[in-house]
Amino acid sequence: MLNKTRGRPRGNPDTKARIAAAARGLFLEHGYQGTTVRAVAAAAGVDSALISYHFGSKQGLFGQSLDLLCVEPAALDQALRGDRAGLADRLLTTMTALWDATAPTENRMALQDDDTMRAFRGYLESELLVRVAEYLGGPDATERATAAVGVIGGLIFTRYLSPIPAVAALPRADVCRIFRPALHAALLARVRPRYRAMARRPADTP
């Protein structure tokens, strides 16, 4: 008789907790980019397949191990589907929905720790920025994604982490309406080519 559970790792709450504890330590020490799923598996003494089983992805592992409820892989995946014209709206809607549902309690408390904040900044740079750049494509995709993450990061800071009253008090619909033009311009505006003529000129010789 065939074993129908073959190839699927069995869930175990103790194993999940051990993985999360190992991941937390590595993320805080090495940051998001410097931590690999393989390294977490080795530290927890488990197979990498168990991490996929319990957390789905590195992004999911990061959010759950550091108690950052604003990091939701499925939400980002959904925002990065559809046409480019609506990307700013989708990103703002997704981000504000996640943060409004959990802030100012869980996310803000988790990010009061300097190491956690540093890891979160690494996540924004090496996950959100990279994913947005891949979605946009083209030679200036990284520059546009960088500008977009700057807008999103500024909104997170002024609305949730160190709130400015005028920004924090805005209804979610007004946040999207007011911030959409800036984010849309960052995402879709053409970046001017860098001026490299001076860099190509040979240095003057005496």
Side-chain angles (χ1 to χ4, degrees), residues 134-204:
E134 289 173 348
Y135 173 92
L136 294 173
D140 59 353
T142 298
E143 285 85 353
R144 285 182 287 150
T146 300
V149 171
V151 174
I152 293 171
L155 177 57
I156 289 173
F157 186 82
T158 57
R159 183 170 171 83
Y160 303 108
L161 299 182
S162 186
I164 294 175
V167 180
L170 287 171
R172 192 185 308 168
D174 286 344
V175 172
C176 295
R177 176 179 60 82
I178 292 171
F179 282 83
R180 180 189 177 279
L183 184 55
H184 183 80
L187 288 165
L188 300 182
R190 186 177 182 84
V191 179
R192 295 179 61 184
R194 296 173 183 171
Y195 183 70
R196 294 190 175 93
M198 294 299 294
R200 295 195 197 99
R201 246 174 56 182
D204 294 334

Side-chain angles (χ1 to χ4, degrees), residues 84-151:
R84 292 187 179 184
L87 180 58
D89 284 324
R90 295 195 303 274
L91 286 173
L92 286 170
T93 299
T94 296
M95 188 271 288
T96 54
L98 286 172
W99 280 83
D100 284 356
T102 57
T105 52
E106 291 91 343
N107 289 324
R108 187 180 296 175
M109 289 175 63
L111 290 168
Q112 285 177 348
D113 178 76
D114 289 342
D115 290 336
T116 304
M117 176 61 85
R118 183 169 59 251
F120 181 67
R121 288 196 298 266
Y123 161 78
L124 291 178
E125 181 177 11
S126 56
E127 181 72 30
L128 180 60
L129 192 155
V130 169
R131 294 282 303 282
V132 171
E134 289 173 348
Y135 173 92
L136 294 173
D140 59 353
T142 298
E143 285 85 353
R144 285 182 287 150
T146 300
V149 171
V151 174

